[in-house]
């Protein structure tokens, strides 16, 4: 359990480093670990590849989780036992202090998405690339967002408890608002999470939790 370099072991969220965005979540499940991966694509406006997803389970030994991909129902991908019987897949997570290196032979990702790579542990409570609006709303229900810019990519300031947590961009270009307006039409507006489309993901963070 000390392989991740912290007292609580490797449990938590890790954010992909580099140009591609991705999120790794490690969750204990009895004697095994649940490996949840999503993202894997580089932001490219309307041409951004669809998020890939993967769920796997396996034991932790000597700082490494050797996991087999398991059936799951995701946002963009559903994988059945029959699918895996025809084409089994695995994911390996190697832990080193606050980082996790992922390697997988999963072939269910679309063109332009790859879940393999280096991930860095996310500080609890921090806002990171790959976070969904629904996740942030659950974690920070009372936060308020102010639209700072609207073109070509909107920037949202997120404030909570009288403090500025971060300035973020989402993967919706100029079409983030749930009521059909684009952010250019609402610069300066102060909003709650319900004003945004719930499936949006964070693609860039300036600053972090204070």
């Amino acid at each position: 359990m000390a392989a991740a370099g912290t007292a609580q072991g490797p449990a938590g969220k890790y954010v992909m480093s580099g140009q591609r965005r991705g999120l790794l979540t490690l969750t204990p499940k009895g004697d095994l670990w649940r490996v949840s991966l999503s993202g894997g694509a580089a932001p490219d406006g309307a041409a951004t590849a669809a998020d890939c997803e993967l769920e796997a389970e396996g034991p932790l030994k000597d700082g490494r989780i050797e996991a087999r991909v398991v059936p799951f129902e995701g946002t963009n991908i559903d994988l059945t036992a029959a699918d895996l019987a025809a084409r089994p897949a695995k994911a390996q997570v190697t832990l080193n202090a606050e980082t996790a290196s992922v390697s997988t032979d999963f072939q269910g990702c679309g063109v332009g998405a790859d879940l393999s790579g280096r991930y860095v542990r996310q500080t609890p409570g921090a806002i990171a690339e790959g976070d969904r609006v629904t996740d942030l709303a659950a974690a920070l229900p009372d936060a308020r967002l102010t639209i700072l810019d609207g073109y070509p990519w909107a920037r949202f300031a997120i404030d909570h408890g009288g403090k500025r947590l971060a300035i973020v961009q989402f993967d919706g270009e100029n079409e983030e608002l749930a009521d059909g307006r684009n952010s250019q039409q609402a610069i300066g507006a102060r909003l709650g999470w319900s004003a945004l489309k719930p499936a949006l993901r964070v693609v860039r963070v300036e600053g972090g939790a204070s």
Side-chain angles (χ1 to χ4, degrees):
M1 294 292 288
T6 57
Q8 74 270 25
K13 293 184 176 182
Y14 298 71
V15 179
M16 183 181 281
S17 58
Q19 294 185 338
R20 288 181 292 122
R21 58 182 176 82
L23 182 67
L24 162 68
T25 303
L26 298 179
T27 308
K29 187 178 180 182
D31 294 332
L32 303 178
W33 283 83
R34 182 82 172 192
V35 176
S36 302
L37 287 156
S38 63
D44 189 20
T48 299
D51 281 343
C52 189
E53 296 167 278
L54 180 155
E55 297 285 338
E57 293 180 358
L60 169 64
K61 183 178 180 180
D62 297 329
R64 180 177 297 170
I65 300 172
E66 297 282 357
R68 292 186 177 277
V69 177
V70 296
F72 67 93
E73 294 184 5
T75 303
N76 299 310
I77 298 174
D78 292 340
L79 199 64
T80 67
D83 295 329
L84 289 169
R87 183 175 290 179
K90 59 183 180 294
Q92 181 185 89
V93 182
T94 303
L95 300 160
N96 182 15
E98 297 299 298
T99 67
S101 297
V102 173
S103 176
T104 177
D105 59 1
F106 180 59
Q107 298 182 29
C109 296
V111 176
D114 183 1
L115 294 169
S116 296
R118 180 177 180 271
Y119 293 73
V120 179
R121 186 193 286 271
Q122 179 180 350
T123 302
I127 297 169
E129 293 180 14
D131 285 349
R132 297 176 300 177
V133 166
T134 50
D135 298 331
L136 294 173
L140 300 164
D142 300 326
R144 303 296 292 175
L145 297 85
T146 303
I147 302 177
L148 303 180
D149 302 299
Y151 183 83
W153 289 86
R155 295 166 69 241
F156 291 77
I158 301 177
D159 298 306
H160 184 259
K163 295 181 180 180
R164 174 66 48 84
L165 299 184
I167 297 173
V168 304
Q169 292 177 358
F170 296 101
D171 60 355
E173 287 197 61
N174 211 23
E175 301 172 353
E176 298 91 347
L177 303 186
D179 64 6
R181 292 179 301 160
N182 64 43
S183 49
Q184 183 69 21
Q185 297 170 299
I187 292 175
R190 191 167 171 81
L191 313 166
W193 294 112
S194 62
L196 300 183
K197 294 179 180 178
L200 293 174
R201 289 182 183 269
V202 175
V203 296
R204 183 177 178 183
V205 181
E206 302 173 34
S210 57

